[in-house]
Amino acid sequence: MNVTDSFSVTDDVNILDTPRFYGSYFSEYNVHNNWFFRMEMQERSHDNLINSKTLIEYPLLIKYRLNNNHSFLLGTKVNVLKINGSIDDVSLFYTFGYQYNITEDFSLEGRVDYNFKKSTTPNIVNPTINSGGDYVLYRVGAKFKF
């Protein structure tokens, strides 16, 4: 069984905004030939003088690799919004995505997340912390494995 693990942490400070934190982890398991099972966890935090908000995402994905460069992702994702340490909202999403491997260690990825039902919690922070109040979320990014 082939296993790939990745972990990243960044501390992003924007002078015009409050400090933010982002952490990400994923494990990928080769199930059979070109089929993989991927578990992920992403965490975003936004703190100010009044309160603290954290969004934790738990995607569980099946990945099908067409060839060494092209892969498709499908699965579900649970978003947990915590305000001041207490769980405020939980949202469940369908997730669809595409991954393009530029090299063995660097890839580009795009995803679309569809909320099972519209959340009752409005977008209470800013675009970096979304509780799932939107019905559709889009994400484009890059991954670097080491």
Side-chain angles (χ1 to χ4, degrees), residues 39-66:
M39 297 179 294
E40 299 181 4
M41 191 275 310
Q42 291 111 25
E43 179 178 337
R44 290 178 191 80
S45 295
H46 188 278
D47 299 313
N48 58 36
L49 296 175
I50 299 170
N51 56 26
S52 168
K53 296 177 178 84
T54 302
L55 178 66
I56 306 169
E57 301 177 31
Y58 299 100
L60 297 172
L61 304 168
I62 297 294
K63 174 179 158 183
Y64 179 72
R65 186 176 64 194
L66 289 172

PDB file of all heavy atoms in Angstrom, residues 39-66:
ATOM      1  N   MET A  39      -7.830  11.643   2.916  1.00  0.00           N
ATOM      2  CA  MET A  39      -8.403  12.300   4.090  1.00  0.00           C
ATOM      3  C   MET A  39      -7.654  13.612   4.288  1.00  0.00           C
ATOM      4  O   MET A  39      -6.430  13.643   4.203  1.00  0.00           O
ATOM      5  CB  MET A  39      -8.264  11.428   5.329  1.00  0.00           C
ATOM      6  CG  MET A  39      -9.020  10.130   5.239  1.00  0.00           C
ATOM      7  SD  MET A  39      -8.816   9.107   6.700  1.00  0.00           S
ATOM      8  CE  MET A  39      -7.076   8.720   6.596  1.00  0.00           C
ATOM      9  N   GLU A  40      -8.397  14.687   4.538  1.00  0.00           N
ATOM     10  CA  GLU A  40      -7.785  15.996   4.708  1.00  0.00           C
ATOM     11  C   GLU A  40      -8.340  16.686   5.948  1.00  0.00           C
ATOM     12  O   GLU A  40      -9.395  16.320   6.456  1.00  0.00           O
ATOM     13  CB  GLU A  40      -8.077  16.896   3.504  1.00  0.00           C
ATOM     14  CG  GLU A  40      -7.548  16.390   2.201  1.00  0.00           C
ATOM     15  CD  GLU A  40      -7.844  17.330   1.042  1.00  0.00           C
ATOM     16  OE1 GLU A  40      -8.409  18.427   1.280  1.00  0.00           O
ATOM     17  OE2 GLU A  40      -7.521  16.967  -0.091  1.00  0.00           O
ATOM     18  N   MET A  41      -7.623  17.711   6.392  1.00  0.00           N
ATOM     19  CA  MET A  41      -8.084  18.605   7.443  1.00  0.00           C
ATOM     20  C   MET A  41      -7.471  19.968   7.177  1.00  0.00           C
ATOM     21  O   MET A  41      -6.265  20.074   6.998  1.00  0.00           O
ATOM     22  CB  MET A  41      -7.664  18.094   8.823  1.00  0.00           C
ATOM     23  CG  MET A  41      -8.324  18.803   9.996  1.00  0.00           C
ATOM     24  SD  MET A  41      -7.600  20.329  10.618  1.00  0.00           S
ATOM     25  CE  MET A  41      -5.920  19.966  10.853  1.00  0.00           C
ATOM     26  N   GLN A  42      -8.310  20.996   7.091  1.00  0.00           N
ATOM     27  CA  GLN A  42      -7.833  22.362   6.949  1.00  0.00           C
ATOM     28  C   GLN A  42      -8.453  23.197   8.056  1.00  0.00           C
ATOM     29  O   GLN A  42      -9.624  23.013   8.388  1.00  0.00           O
ATOM     30  CB  GLN A  42      -8.224  22.967   5.592  1.00  0.00           C
ATOM     31  CG  GLN A  42      -7.522  22.353   4.422  1.00  0.00           C
ATOM     32  CD  GLN A  42      -8.446  21.558   3.543  1.00  0.00           C
ATOM     33  OE1 GLN A  42      -9.628  21.781   3.500  1.00  0.00           O
ATOM     34  NE2 GLN A  42      -7.891  20.592   2.845  1.00  0.00           N
ATOM     35  N   GLU A  43      -7.653  24.109   8.604  1.00  0.00           N
ATOM     36  CA  GLU A  43      -8.136  24.974   9.672  1.00  0.00           C
ATOM     37  C   GLU A  43      -7.750  26.418   9.369  1.00  0.00           C
ATOM     38  O   GLU A  43      -6.612  26.712   9.035  1.00  0.00           O
ATOM     39  CB  GLU A  43      -7.532  24.550  11.004  1.00  0.00           C
ATOM     40  CG  GLU A  43      -7.966  25.398  12.167  1.00  0.00           C
ATOM     41  CD  GLU A  43      -7.395  24.924  13.484  1.00  0.00           C
ATOM     42  OE1 GLU A  43      -7.034  23.735  13.593  1.00  0.00           O
ATOM     43  OE2 GLU A  43      -7.306  25.754  14.392  1.00  0.00           O
ATOM     44  N   ARG A  44      -8.749  27.316   9.473  1.00  0.00           N
ATOM     45  CA  ARG A  44      -8.519  28.754   9.309  1.00  0.00           C
ATOM     46  C   ARG A  44      -9.015  29.453  10.562  1.00  0.00           C
ATOM     47  O   ARG A  44     -10.130  29.198  11.009  1.00  0.00           O
ATOM     48  CB  ARG A  44      -9.303  29.301   8.122  1.00  0.00           C
ATOM     49  CG  ARG A  44      -8.826  28.868   6.796  1.00  0.00           C
ATOM     50  CD  ARG A  44      -9.740  29.469   5.711  1.00  0.00           C
ATOM     51  NE  ARG A  44      -9.485  28.898   4.429  1.00  0.00           N
ATOM     52  CZ  ARG A  44      -9.946  27.712   4.015  1.00  0.00           C
ATOM     53  NH1 ARG A  44     -10.708  27.005   4.792  1.00  0.00           N
ATOM     54  NH2 ARG A  44      -9.640  27.255   2.822  1.00  0.00           N
ATOM     55  N   SER A  45      -8.209  30.367  11.098  1.00  0.00           N
ATOM     56  CA  SER A  45      -8.600  31.131  12.291  1.00  0.00           C
ATOM     57  C   SER A  45      -8.526  32.612  12.004  1.00  0.00           C
ATOM     58  O   SER A  45      -7.667  33.078  11.260  1.00  0.00           O
ATOM     59  CB  SER A  45      -7.683  30.804  13.469  1.00  0.00           C
ATOM     60  OG  SER A  45      -7.832  29.464  13.840  1.00  0.00           O
ATOM     61  N   HIS A  46      -9.437  33.342  12.612  1.00  0.00           N
ATOM     62  CA  HIS A  46      -9.498  34.788  12.475  1.00  0.00           C
ATOM     63  C   HIS A  46      -9.817  35.343  13.856  1.00  0.00           C
ATOM     64  O   HIS A  46     -10.882  35.073  14.406  1.00  0.00           O
ATOM     65  CB  HIS A  46     -10.591  35.155  11.467  1.00  0.00           C
ATOM     66  CG  HIS A  46     -10.621  36.600  11.110  1.00  0.00           C
ATOM     67  ND1 HIS A  46     -11.234  37.531  11.893  1.00  0.00           N
ATOM     68  CD2 HIS A  46     -10.116  37.259  10.051  1.00  0.00           C
ATOM     69  CE1 HIS A  46     -11.108  38.717  11.331  1.00  0.00           C
ATOM     70  NE2 HIS A  46     -10.431  38.575  10.207  1.00  0.00           N
ATOM     71  N   ASP A  47      -8.893  36.088  14.430  1.00  0.00           N
ATOM     72  CA  ASP A  47      -9.058  36.626  15.775  1.00  0.00           C
ATOM     73  C   ASP A  47      -9.053  38.142  15.756  1.00  0.00           C
ATOM     74  O   ASP A  47      -8.323  38.760  14.982  1.00  0.00           O
ATOM     75  CB  ASP A  47      -7.919  36.147  16.687  1.00  0.00           C
ATOM     76  CG  ASP A  47      -7.888  34.631  16.809  1.00  0.00           C
ATOM     77  OD1 ASP A  47      -8.953  34.041  17.032  1.00  0.00           O
ATOM     78  OD2 ASP A  47      -6.803  34.058  16.659  1.00  0.00           O
ATOM     79  N   ASN A  48      -9.880  38.733  16.621  1.00  0.00           N
ATOM     80  CA  ASN A  48      -9.832  40.172  16.845  1.00  0.00           C
ATOM     81  C   ASN A  48     -10.062  40.429  18.335  1.00  0.00           C
ATOM     82  O   ASN A  48     -10.102  39.491  19.125  1.00  0.00           O
ATOM     83  CB  ASN A  48     -10.831  40.920  15.950  1.00  0.00           C
ATOM     84  CG  ASN A  48     -12.261  40.464  16.160  1.00  0.00           C
ATOM     85  OD1 ASN A  48     -12.655  40.154  17.275  1.00  0.00           O
ATOM     86  ND2 ASN A  48     -13.035  40.425  15.085  1.00  0.00           N
ATOM     87  N   LEU A  49     -10.220  41.669  18.730  1.00  0.00           N
ATOM     88  CA  LEU A  49     -10.374  41.997  20.150  1.00  0.00           C
ATOM     89  C   LEU A  49     -11.691  41.520  20.736  1.00  0.00           C
ATOM     90  O   LEU A  49     -11.808  41.333  21.946  1.00  0.00           O
ATOM     91  CB  LEU A  49     -10.243  43.509  20.357  1.00  0.00           C
ATOM     92  CG  LEU A  49      -8.874  44.102  20.003  1.00  0.00           C
ATOM     93  CD1 LEU A  49      -8.918  45.612  20.125  1.00  0.00           C
ATOM     94  CD2 LEU A  49      -7.795  43.505  20.886  1.00  0.00           C
ATOM     95  N   ILE A  50     -12.692  41.299  19.894  1.00  0.00           N
ATOM     96  CA  ILE A  50     -14.021  40.918  20.380  1.00  0.00           C
ATOM     97  C   ILE A  50     -14.192  39.408  20.475  1.00  0.00           C
ATOM     98  O   ILE A  50     -14.695  38.885  21.454  1.00  0.00           O
ATOM     99  CB  ILE A  50     -15.108  41.519  19.473  1.00  0.00           C
ATOM    100  CG1 ILE A  50     -14.999  43.047  19.511  1.00  0.00           C
ATOM    101  CG2 ILE A  50     -16.487  41.062  19.892  1.00  0.00           C
ATOM    102  CD1 ILE A  50     -15.849  43.737  18.475  1.00  0.00           C
ATOM    103  N   ASN A  51     -13.775  38.667  19.450  1.00  0.00           N
ATOM    104  CA  ASN A  51     -13.985  37.219  19.467  1.00  0.00           C
ATOM    105  C   ASN A  51     -12.987  36.499  18.573  1.00  0.00           C
ATOM    106  O   ASN A  51     -12.193  37.104  17.879  1.00  0.00           O
ATOM    107  CB  ASN A  51     -15.422  36.869  19.063  1.00  0.00           C
ATOM    108  CG  ASN A  51     -15.808  37.436  17.733  1.00  0.00           C
ATOM    109  OD1 ASN A  51     -14.959  37.675  16.880  1.00  0.00           O
ATOM    110  ND2 ASN A  51     -17.098  37.668  17.534  1.00  0.00           N
ATOM    111  N   SER A  52     -13.086  35.174  18.605  1.00  0.00           N
ATOM    112  CA  SER A  52     -12.226  34.300  17.815  1.00  0.00           C
ATOM    113  C   SER A  52     -13.115  33.367  17.004  1.00  0.00           C
ATOM    114  O   SER A  52     -14.046  32.769  17.548  1.00  0.00           O
ATOM    115  CB  SER A  52     -11.340  33.492  18.760  1.00  0.00           C
ATOM    116  OG  SER A  52     -10.700  32.463  18.068  1.00  0.00           O
ATOM    117  N   LYS A  53     -12.819  33.247  15.695  1.00  0.00           N
ATOM    118  CA  LYS A  53     -13.595  32.368  14.830  1.00  0.00           C
ATOM    119  C   LYS A  53     -12.645  31.407  14.127  1.00  0.00           C
ATOM    120  O   LYS A  53     -11.620  31.825  13.618  1.00  0.00           O
ATOM    121  CB  LYS A  53     -14.374  33.185  13.808  1.00  0.00           C
ATOM    122  CG  LYS A  53     -15.399  34.088  14.461  1.00  0.00           C
ATOM    123  CD  LYS A  53     -16.109  34.926  13.449  1.00  0.00           C
ATOM    124  CE  LYS A  53     -17.158  35.767  14.107  1.00  0.00           C
ATOM    125  NZ  LYS A  53     -16.666  37.008  14.667  1.00  0.00           N
ATOM    126  N   THR A  54     -13.008  30.136  14.117  1.00  0.00           N
ATOM    127  CA  THR A  54     -12.200  29.115  13.473  1.00  0.00           C
ATOM    128  C   THR A  54     -13.100  28.238  12.615  1.00  0.00           C
ATOM    129  O   THR A  54     -14.145  27.783  13.072  1.00  0.00           O
ATOM    130  CB  THR A  54     -11.478  28.238  14.514  1.00  0.00           C
ATOM    131  OG1 THR A  54     -10.669  29.065  15.340  1.00  0.00           O
ATOM    132  CG2 THR A  54     -10.620  27.179  13.854  1.00  0.00           C
ATOM    133  N   LEU A  55     -12.683  28.006  11.369  1.00  0.00           N
ATOM    134  CA  LEU A  55     -13.382  27.090  10.482  1.00  0.00           C
ATOM    135  C   LEU A  55     -12.486  25.886  10.259  1.00  0.00           C
ATOM    136  O   LEU A  55     -11.354  26.025   9.820  1.00  0.00           O
ATOM    137  CB  LEU A  55     -13.706  27.747   9.140  1.00  0.00           C
ATOM    138  CG  LEU A  55     -14.391  26.838   8.117  1.00  0.00           C
ATOM    139  CD1 LEU A  55     -15.779  26.434   8.601  1.00  0.00           C
ATOM    140  CD2 LEU A  55     -14.469  27.503   6.765  1.00  0.00           C
ATOM    141  N   ILE A  56     -12.993  24.700  10.576  1.00  0.00           N
ATOM    142  CA  ILE A  56     -12.256  23.453  10.370  1.00  0.00           C
ATOM    143  C   ILE A  56     -13.007  22.643   9.315  1.00  0.00           C
ATOM    144  O   ILE A  56     -14.209  22.430   9.430  1.00  0.00           O
ATOM    145  CB  ILE A  56     -12.131  22.651  11.677  1.00  0.00           C
ATOM    146  CG1 ILE A  56     -11.520  23.515  12.776  1.00  0.00           C
ATOM    147  CG2 ILE A  56     -11.293  21.397  11.463  1.00  0.00           C
ATOM    148  CD1 ILE A  56     -11.604  22.912  14.151  1.00  0.00           C
ATOM    149  N   GLU A  57     -12.277  22.224   8.273  1.00  0.00           N
ATOM    150  CA  GLU A  57     -12.865  21.447   7.181  1.00  0.00           C
ATOM    151  C   GLU A  57     -12.284  20.042   7.195  1.00  0.00           C
ATOM    152  O   GLU A  57     -11.081  19.866   7.352  1.00  0.00           O
ATOM    153  CB  GLU A  57     -12.553  22.104   5.839  1.00  0.00           C
ATOM    154  CG  GLU A  57     -13.049  23.517   5.716  1.00  0.00           C
ATOM    155  CD  GLU A  57     -12.658  24.153   4.401  1.00  0.00           C
ATOM    156  OE1 GLU A  57     -12.553  23.427   3.388  1.00  0.00           O
ATOM    157  OE2 GLU A  57     -12.451  25.369   4.392  1.00  0.00           O
ATOM    158  N   TYR A  58     -13.164  19.028   7.004  1.00  0.00           N
ATOM    159  CA  TYR A  58     -12.755  17.624   6.972  1.00  0.00           C
ATOM    160  C   TYR A  58     -13.237  16.968   5.674  1.00  0.00           C
ATOM    161  O   TYR A  58     -14.282  16.336   5.649  1.00  0.00           O
ATOM    162  CB  TYR A  58     -13.344  16.865   8.159  1.00  0.00           C
ATOM    163  CG  TYR A  58     -12.914  17.356   9.505  1.00  0.00           C
ATOM    164  CD1 TYR A  58     -13.742  18.178  10.263  1.00  0.00           C
ATOM    165  CD2 TYR A  58     -11.677  17.005  10.021  1.00  0.00           C
ATOM    166  CE1 TYR A  58     -13.348  18.628  11.505  1.00  0.00           C
ATOM    167  CE2 TYR A  58     -11.273  17.453  11.271  1.00  0.00           C
ATOM    168  CZ  TYR A  58     -12.124  18.271  11.999  1.00  0.00           C
ATOM    169  OH  TYR A  58     -11.727  18.726  13.231  1.00  0.00           O
ATOM    170  N   PRO A  59     -12.503  17.104   4.571  1.00  0.00           N
ATOM    171  CA  PRO A  59     -12.886  16.418   3.330  1.00  0.00           C
ATOM    172  C   PRO A  59     -12.478  14.928   3.367  1.00  0.00           C
ATOM    173  O   PRO A  59     -11.385  14.590   3.819  1.00  0.00           O
ATOM    174  CB  PRO A  59     -12.090  17.149   2.241  1.00  0.00           C
ATOM    175  CG  PRO A  59     -11.584  18.391   2.867  1.00  0.00           C
ATOM    176  CD  PRO A  59     -11.473  18.105   4.322  1.00  0.00           C
ATOM    177  N   LEU A  60     -13.361  14.070   2.909  1.00  0.00           N
ATOM    178  CA  LEU A  60     -13.087  12.640   2.691  1.00  0.00           C
ATOM    179  C   LEU A  60     -13.338  12.384   1.213  1.00  0.00           C
ATOM    180  O   LEU A  60     -14.474  12.470   0.745  1.00  0.00           O
ATOM    181  CB  LEU A  60     -14.004  11.762   3.537  1.00  0.00           C
ATOM    182  CG  LEU A  60     -13.852  11.925   5.037  1.00  0.00           C
ATOM    183  CD1 LEU A  60     -14.950  11.146   5.767  1.00  0.00           C
ATOM    184  CD2 LEU A  60     -12.483  11.444   5.486  1.00  0.00           C
ATOM    185  N   LEU A  61     -12.262  12.091   0.470  1.00  0.00           N
ATOM    186  CA  LEU A  61     -12.341  12.070  -0.984  1.00  0.00           C
ATOM    187  C   LEU A  61     -11.872  10.756  -1.586  1.00  0.00           C
ATOM    188  O   LEU A  61     -10.982  10.104  -1.045  1.00  0.00           O
ATOM    189  CB  LEU A  61     -11.467  13.192  -1.558  1.00  0.00           C
ATOM    190  CG  LEU A  61     -11.770  14.608  -1.062  1.00  0.00           C
ATOM    191  CD1 LEU A  61     -10.659  15.547  -1.474  1.00  0.00           C
ATOM    192  CD2 LEU A  61     -13.101  15.065  -1.586  1.00  0.00           C
ATOM    193  N   ILE A  62     -12.454  10.423  -2.718  1.00  0.00           N
ATOM    194  CA  ILE A  62     -11.963   9.363  -3.582  1.00  0.00           C
ATOM    195  C   ILE A  62     -11.290  10.063  -4.762  1.00  0.00           C
ATOM    196  O   ILE A  62     -11.854  10.983  -5.354  1.00  0.00           O
ATOM    197  CB  ILE A  62     -13.106   8.464  -4.094  1.00  0.00           C
ATOM    198  CG1 ILE A  62     -13.789   7.751  -2.933  1.00  0.00           C
ATOM    199  CG2 ILE A  62     -12.601   7.474  -5.130  1.00  0.00           C
ATOM    200  CD1 ILE A  62     -12.914   6.741  -2.221  1.00  0.00           C
ATOM    201  N   LYS A  63     -10.079   9.632  -5.104  1.00  0.00           N
ATOM    202  CA  LYS A  63      -9.333  10.231  -6.213  1.00  0.00           C
ATOM    203  C   LYS A  63      -9.112   9.165  -7.280  1.00  0.00           C
ATOM    204  O   LYS A  63      -8.691   8.047  -6.967  1.00  0.00           O
ATOM    205  CB  LYS A  63      -7.998  10.759  -5.704  1.00  0.00           C
ATOM    206  CG  LYS A  63      -7.069  11.281  -6.775  1.00  0.00           C
ATOM    207  CD  LYS A  63      -5.783  11.790  -6.129  1.00  0.00           C
ATOM    208  CE  LYS A  63      -4.645  11.833  -7.079  1.00  0.00           C
ATOM    209  NZ  LYS A  63      -3.392  12.266  -6.429  1.00  0.00           N
ATOM    210  N   TYR A  64      -9.430   9.519  -8.519  1.00  0.00           N
ATOM    211  CA  TYR A  64      -9.156   8.636  -9.642  1.00  0.00           C
ATOM    212  C   TYR A  64      -8.094   9.298 -10.509  1.00  0.00           C
ATOM    213  O   TYR A  64      -8.285  10.407 -11.015  1.00  0.00           O
ATOM    214  CB  TYR A  64     -10.411   8.356 -10.472  1.00  0.00           C
ATOM    215  CG  TYR A  64     -10.108   7.463 -11.647  1.00  0.00           C
ATOM    216  CD1 TYR A  64      -9.836   6.115 -11.448  1.00  0.00           C
ATOM    217  CD2 TYR A  64     -10.060   7.968 -12.934  1.00  0.00           C
ATOM    218  CE1 TYR A  64      -9.534   5.287 -12.515  1.00  0.00           C
ATOM    219  CE2 TYR A  64      -9.759   7.152 -14.004  1.00  0.00           C
ATOM    220  CZ  TYR A  64      -9.493   5.811 -13.796  1.00  0.00           C
ATOM    221  OH  TYR A  64      -9.182   4.997 -14.836  1.00  0.00           O
ATOM    222  N   ARG A  65      -6.972   8.637 -10.693  1.00  0.00           N
ATOM    223  CA  ARG A  65      -5.863   9.161 -11.491  1.00  0.00           C
ATOM    224  C   ARG A  65      -5.978   8.628 -12.912  1.00  0.00           C
ATOM    225  O   ARG A  65      -5.824   7.428 -13.145  1.00  0.00           O
ATOM    226  CB  ARG A  65      -4.531   8.767 -10.856  1.00  0.00           C
ATOM    227  CG  ARG A  65      -3.336   9.399 -11.557  1.00  0.00           C
ATOM    228  CD  ARG A  65      -2.056   9.068 -10.869  1.00  0.00           C
ATOM    229  NE  ARG A  65      -1.846   7.619 -10.961  1.00  0.00           N
ATOM    230  CZ  ARG A  65      -0.964   6.943 -10.250  1.00  0.00           C
ATOM    231  NH1 ARG A  65      -0.219   7.555  -9.374  1.00  0.00           N
ATOM    232  NH2 ARG A  65      -0.826   5.640 -10.405  1.00  0.00           N
ATOM    233  N   LEU A  66      -6.249   9.529 -13.865  1.00  0.00           N
ATOM    234  CA  LEU A  66      -6.324   9.139 -15.280  1.00  0.00           C
ATOM    235  C   LEU A  66      -4.956   8.738 -15.811  1.00  0.00           C
ATOM    236  O   LEU A  66      -4.819   7.750 -16.519  1.00  0.00           O
ATOM    237  CB  LEU A  66      -6.859  10.294 -16.129  1.00  0.00           C
ATOM    238  CG  LEU A  66      -8.322  10.626 -15.965  1.00  0.00           C
ATOM    239  CD1 LEU A  66      -8.673  11.894 -16.716  1.00  0.00           C
ATOM    240  CD2 LEU A  66      -9.170   9.468 -16.462  1.00  0.00           C
TER     241      LEU A  66
END
